[in-house]
């Protein structure tokens, strides 16, 4: 668990970087049992076609570059690719967009991922306070975190009781609990995510500076959750 995560982190540090691209960040999360999609990093068009076939169309493609952390701004996230012909066109386009945005960008590959069913969006973050150590942040995604700042914090490590309280303490909790006749979200899956992130950060305390899992899709009760995008910044 820790060994697998450390292997990824040490490779990144060896290459002179302190920020993990999405694929690397998800490998660290996966080592701790966090739910990430079945996606593969393609270095060539042939690999991308092979992986898309294995995953099953439609797929999403995301270009991985340490110099392009805001992928949407660079237009290097392409969704709902339905056929091999379309994938070939999008392979050219995604590289063209990357070169326009950042001509000197080092391209590590293109992540080929399944198109996920949209769930309720949550965000889980980690920041480091010089006095108290790492703090874990939880909130609903989108407008709730960006505009309303509706989030809760706890110092790591947390207990299951802490995790459940973090979830209940946000003002928008009724949305997760099943307001207006909606099915309740899988609260146990969120608790599990918070506990696993707490364990990861506690174990890798000497390495992790910041972490951002945004968005995470949470499905109906009993159907789990999946980390859609992730970012990890290491201590220099």
């Amino acid at each position: 668990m820790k060994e697998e995560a450390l292997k990824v982190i040490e490779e990144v540090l060896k290459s002179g970087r302190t920020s993990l691209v999405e694929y690397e960040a998800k490998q660290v999360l996966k080592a701790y049992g966090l739910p990430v999609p079945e996606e593969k990093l393609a270095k060539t068009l042939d690999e991308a076609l092979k992986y898309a076939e294995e995953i099953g169309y439609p797929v999403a493609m995301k270009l991985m570059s340490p110099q392009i952390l805001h992928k949407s701004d660079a237009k290097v996230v392409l969704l709902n690719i339905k056929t091999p012909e379309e994938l070939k066109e999008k392979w050219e386009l995604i590289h063209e967009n990357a070169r326009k945005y950042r001509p000197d960008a080092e391209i590590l590959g293109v992540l080929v991922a399944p198109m996920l069913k949209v769930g309720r969006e949550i965000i889980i973050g980690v920041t480091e306070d010089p006095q108290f150590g790492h703090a874990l942040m939880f909130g609903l995604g989108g407008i709730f975190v960006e505009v309303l700042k509706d989030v809760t914090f706890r110092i790591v490590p947390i207990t299951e009781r802490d995790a459940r309280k973090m979830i209940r303490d946000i003002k928008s909790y009724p949305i997760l609990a099943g307001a207006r006749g909606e099915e309740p979200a899988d609260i146990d899956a969120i608790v599990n995510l918070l506990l696993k992130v707490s364990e990861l950060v506690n174990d890798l305390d000497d390495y992790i500076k910041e972490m951002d899992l945004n968005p995470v899709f949470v499905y109906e009760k009993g159907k789990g959750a999946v980390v859609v995008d992730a970012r990890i910044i290491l201590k220099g």
Side-chain angles (χ1 to χ4, degrees):
M1 195 158 66
K2 185 176 179 180
E3 291 71 24
E4 288 168 49
L6 274 177
K7 208 185 289 178
V8 177
I9 287 169
E10 277 159 6
E11 280 297 315
V12 170
L13 290 170
K14 211 187 288 176
S15 72
R17 294 188 279 125
T18 52
S19 64
L20 279 68
V21 297
E22 178 186 342
Y23 176 72
E24 294 161 337
K26 283 177 170 171
Q27 293 302 300
V28 171
L29 299 179
K30 196 176 176 182
Y32 275 82
L34 278 106
V36 298
E38 282 303 316
E39 40 193 25
K40 299 188 175 183
L41 189 68
K43 304 281 178 77
T44 64
L45 173 57
D46 283 347
E47 279 185 358
L49 288 163
K50 177 173 170 276
Y51 295 154
E53 208 60 54
E54 287 169 9
I55 290 164
Y57 290 96
V59 295
M61 284 165 60
K62 305 178 189 183
L63 184 130
M64 298 290 115
S65 167
Q67 290 77 34
I68 305 175
L69 290 180
H70 299 289
K71 298 186 287 295
S72 299
D73 295 351
K75 299 191 177 82
V76 292
V77 176
L78 303 177
L79 304 175
N80 218 20
I81 298 159
K82 296 186 180 76
T83 63
E85 291 66 36
E86 192 184 348
L87 189 144
K88 287 175 192 171
E89 284 170 29
K90 295 290 168 70
W91 178 268
E92 294 303 323
L93 178 63
I94 208 168
H95 285 84
E96 200 179 296
N97 290 348
R99 283 191 294 271
K100 274 185 202 158
Y101 183 80
R102 187 77 191 258
D104 63 337
E106 178 199 358
I107 295 167
L108 303 180
V110 172
L111 203 55
V112 181
M115 285 298 298
L116 297 168
K117 177 180 166 241
V118 176
R120 270 166 270 199
E121 283 189 27
I122 63 164
I123 175 171
I124 295 173
V126 174
T127 51
E128 191 181 29
D129 181 278
Q131 199 175 346
F132 300 108
H134 287 99
L136 186 62
M137 183 266 284
F138 167 76
L140 285 193
I143 187 172
F144 296 98
V145 67
E146 289 159 21
V147 179
L148 304 174
K149 310 281 186 246
D150 182 18
V151 294
T152 53
F153 289 91
R154 289 291 183 286
I155 297 298
V156 168
I158 65 164
T159 63
E160 183 180 335
R161 191 177 170 188
D162 293 329
R164 290 192 185 278
K165 188 149 175 24
M166 281 180 86
I167 296 163
R168 283 196 306 271
D169 280 355
I170 58 169
K171 295 183 192 74
S172 42
Y173 174 68
I175 292 169
L176 292 174
R180 296 185 178 175
E182 276 194 33
E183 281 289 313
D186 196 334
I187 303 292
D188 288 345
I190 304 174
V191 169
N192 195 33
L193 279 165
L194 290 168
L195 289 171
K196 283 193 156 101
V197 171
S198 169
E199 182 189 2
L200 185 162
V201 172
N202 202 40
D203 272 4
L204 303 173
D205 177 70
D206 294 339
Y207 296 92
I208 306 283
K209 185 181 178 191
E210 288 172 34
M211 190 185 297
D212 196 17
L213 314 188
N214 181 25
V216 176
F217 286 166
V218 183
Y219 301 112
E220 292 84 28
K221 193 173 180 178
K223 301 222 173 129
V226 64
V227 178
V228 182
D229 200 350
R231 191 175 63 98
I232 296 176
I233 308 288
L234 304 172
K235 296 177 185 181

